[in-house]
Structure formats: C-alpha cells, structure tokens
Amino acid sequence: RSAERDASTVCSQWLAGATAAGLAGVGGIAAAGAGSGLAIASRVGPTELPQTVAGFHSLVGAAAVATAVGEFLHLAPLGLLTPVSIGAIVAATYLGAITTTGSLVAFGKLNGALGSAPVSLPRRNLVNALLSAVSLWAAARMMRSPTLAVGRAALAACTAASLFVGAHATLAIGGADVPVVITCLNSASGWALCAEGFMLSSTLLTTVGALIGFSGALLTQDMCVAMNR
C-alpha cells in the first residue's frame, strides 16, 4: 500500500514539473521509511505478526488523516474545494482516524499492553453511531460554507470523534476476536486510500484502495464464518 502511494506521489510530482531535488527528497523519505519498516519487520517472530500488522495499520490511518488535512489546507485558501473533494477529504479523515486508534488498541490487546476483556460505554452502538454522524455533519457544514475557518473546525470535530470511535469500538472486542478486527481495519484503510485517490485525482490510489477495501471485507467475512462469529 505504501509503495502504491509513493508511486502515485512521484508520478504526480513528475507530471506537475517537479524538480530533480524535489523528487530526490521524496525518494529519500521513501527509502528511510522502507529501511525503518524492514528493520522492524526483521525483528518480529511469526507469533508476533498480527500485532505488527496492527501497528503498521495505525501508520496507514495516520497518513490518510494527514493527507486529507493537508489537501484541505492546500485547497481551501485557493477556493478550490468542491463537493467531491470535500466528501473525499471527510471520508479519508473518518476512515483514517478509525484505523489509527482501532489499530493501536488492537496492537495493545495482542501485545499484552491492554487487557483482553471487552470494555465499552453503556449503549456503545448508539454512542458510536452518534459520533460517526459527526462526519456527515462535517461534510455538510463544509459544503455549505467551504471556508478555511469553517473547514478547520469541522475537520477537527470529525477527527476527534473518529479517533474515539476507533478506540471505543475496538476496546469492546474480546482478545480472541481481535484478529477479525484487524482484517476489518485493513478494509477500512483500503477505503481510506480509495478516498485519497478521489481527493488527489489518482486512478492508481483509487484502484488499489478499492482492491484492499473489498479484499479486506471478504477476508473479514470468511474469518467470521470460520470462527462462528
């Protein structure tokens, strides 16, 4: 997934007339990330792979949120926000934030840093639904008034609510079912990537994100059936 995002970024910069120094900078950052990932993965044993995947998923979610916020801060002052771009920005923020905190909680449960017993607020489904609705409010608010000030407040509310939903929804899952949660979050990260594709007008990101989203959803369904969940 990171490779596809890097390739899309390099191609976009190249077509936009980026300088050799700019492309070298992107290449250097990509190389540093690849080296760090390789160093971490080389120290992980087979039994630690699930929590490692969860940990890396949190980085994918954080990258999606950062990209969405950055694109908003780029487009809003220029008056270039459209309903499609606003929808994509909010979707990437919502899904990315849920993936970030959900994956961190999953990592903690599998790594033993958090208890495996389910923990949640009363009427947790209603709480999660109401907080998820904040994202719809944020999109509607930004479409009605696509200004920098309004967008900042709406995106801040969307991000905070989504971060809570990701953590709260995953904390409510028992330790034995966390692997299923990881595949579900993998699907969410794919849809966040797909939203980024719409946001950045990148066919590559949209296509790869859709593939990850659908495959993650199918894998989640297969695991639920196999585990009688």
Side-chain angles (χ1 to χ4, degrees):
R1 189 178 298 113
S2 298
E4 284 87 359
R5 183 182 284 110
D6 292 341
S8 176
T9 301
V10 172
C11 290
S12 298
Q13 289 196 345
W14 180 268
L15 293 175
T19 63
L23 293 175
V26 173
I29 294 173
S36 300
L38 181 62
I40 294 172
S42 64
R43 300 169 59 184
V44 174
T47 59
E48 299 169 328
L49 284 177
Q51 54 261 50
T52 303
V53 172
F56 281 136
H57 273 167
S58 70
L59 298 178
V60 175
V65 174
T67 302
V69 173
E71 186 68 4
F72 166 76
L73 294 176
H74 169 67
L75 295 178
L78 301 175
L80 298 178
L81 288 172
T82 65
V84 173
S85 64
I86 290 172
I89 287 170
V90 173
T93 302
Y94 172 71
L95 293 169
I98 286 178
T99 301
T100 300
T101 51
S103 297
L104 287 174
V105 171
F107 173 84
K109 281 180 173 282
L110 291 174
N111 205 42
L114 297 175
S116 60
V119 178
S120 65
L121 296 173
R123 306 188 69 178
R124 61 185 174 90
N125 291 333
L126 178 61
V127 171
N128 292 338
L130 290 176
L131 289 175
S132 294
V134 172
S135 297
L136 297 177
W137 168 86
R141 186 76 178 89
M142 291 170 66
M143 288 180 186
R144 285 198 303 269
S145 181
T147 62
L148 185 60
V150 171
R152 280 176 176 171
L155 272 185
C158 174
T159 302
S162 302
L163 288 172
F164 181 86
V165 170
H168 185 233
T170 309
L171 280 169
I173 304 299
D177 295 326
V178 170
V180 180
V181 176
I182 292 176
T183 62
C184 186
L185 292 171
N186 177 61
S187 178
S189 70
W191 294 121
L193 188 65
C194 187
E196 287 183 29
F198 279 97
M199 184 173 62
L200 301 174
S201 300
S202 172
T203 304
L204 178 62
L205 288 179
T206 303
T207 302
V208 173
L211 287 172
I212 296 171
F214 274 117
S215 61
L218 291 174
L219 180 58
T220 301
Q221 172 66 16
D222 289 343
M223 290 186 68
C224 286
V225 173
M227 297 172 66
N228 196 28
R229 295 295 190 269

